[in-house]
Amino acid sequence: MLIIAFESSTSLIIHVVYGIMLMKDQMLANPFSTTRQIIGRCFVTRSGFTLIEVLIASTIMMIVFIVSGIVLVQTIRNSDISLNKLLATKEVIETEEKLRRILSRMGPRLDEVTLTSTSVSFKVRIPFGSDGLSVDLSERIAFYTDGTLRYERMSDSVTPLATIGENLEEVRFSMPAPGIVNYSIMKSIGTVRVTFTGGVTSPNMR
């Protein structure tokens, strides 16, 4: 809309300036001998600005204001996009670091890792005591429709352990090979969308 307004205003300004220049040529061709001249209803004195000079100055100022406004709006728009991209990238990287740290705990058995497109379920072996005893706990990372990525413990009920990320647009999981879990994280802020892809190979798998 700004571009249309600018083109319309420019066309109007060109017509006004052209008419003013024709008036000036007519005045130069038929000058009056009196100190005070009458042009239609407007008076011009030799000691001040003429009507033509005022109109030309006003036209130039109008052009400058229109161009400056367009440049300012475009600059603000570009600044907003850059800021949104920076914020989205920062949040995606923080989410990926948390996700990678948790997935690296998977183990010890490959056949105990199960995936859907939005979740990863696995077991974690927790040692306790000095006699080498340990216990295997069932855990899960799941992406919910509200945009939350959660780390949970599975038993008779689901126990939330941590929130990995919030306000995410999409999180997808896949297993291209045994023991490798790939993921993609998508985050949108305003008109900016950032996607991060990565993968984890657990050292505990066998």
Side-chain angles (χ1 to χ4, degrees), residues 130-142:
S130 58
D131 51 2
L133 296 177
S134 62
V135 61
D136 290 346
L137 300 177
S138 297
E139 297 182 345
R140 181 178 72 174
I141 295 173

Side-chain angles (χ1 to χ4, degrees), residues 97-126:
E97 289 176 349
K98 295 176 184 177
L99 178 59
R100 176 182 292 273
R101 192 161 51 245
I102 294 171
L103 287 176
S104 64
R105 301 175 66 234
M106 291 187 302
R109 293 170 56 92
L110 286 173
D111 58 3
E112 293 177 329
V113 179
T114 58
L115 275 79
T116 68
S117 60
T118 57
S119 68
V120 182
S121 300
F122 52 91
K123 285 191 175 181
V124 177
R125 177 158 293 177
I126 307 296

Side-chain angles (χ1 to χ4, degrees), residues 13-119:
I13 289 168
I14 292 173
H15 284 82
V16 171
V17 172
Y18 180 74
I20 290 172
M21 298 307 297
L22 288 177
M23 291 174 58
K24 187 173 184 180
D25 291 339
Q26 292 175 1
M27 289 174 58
L28 293 175
N30 300 286
F32 291 96
S33 59
T34 58
T35 303
R36 191 178 182 90
Q37 302 174 2
I38 303 177
I39 304 176
R41 296 182 180 181
C42 300
F43 296 92
V44 178
T45 61
R46 297 183 186 277
S47 59
F49 294 104
T50 65
L51 174 62
I52 295 176
E53 291 171 340
V54 171
L55 290 176
I56 291 175
S58 300
T59 300
I60 294 173
M61 291 179 63
M62 185 183 301
I63 294 174
V64 171
F65 287 150
I66 292 174
V67 173
S68 299
I70 293 174
V71 172
L72 179 61
V73 169
Q74 189 63 37
T75 301
I76 293 174
R77 183 178 301 166
N78 291 338
S79 297
D80 288 342
I81 292 174
S82 298
L83 179 60
N84 288 341
K85 186 173 183 179
L86 180 63
L87 292 174
T89 302
K90 176 178 177 293
E91 292 183 21
V92 166
I93 290 175
E94 290 176 350
T95 300
E96 192 274 337
E97 289 176 349
K98 295 176 184 177
L99 178 59
R100 176 182 292 273
R101 192 161 51 245
I102 294 171
L103 287 176
S104 64
R105 301 175 66 234
M106 291 187 302
R109 293 170 56 92
L110 286 173
D111 58 3
E112 293 177 329
V113 179
T114 58
L115 275 79
T116 68
S117 60
T118 57
S119 68

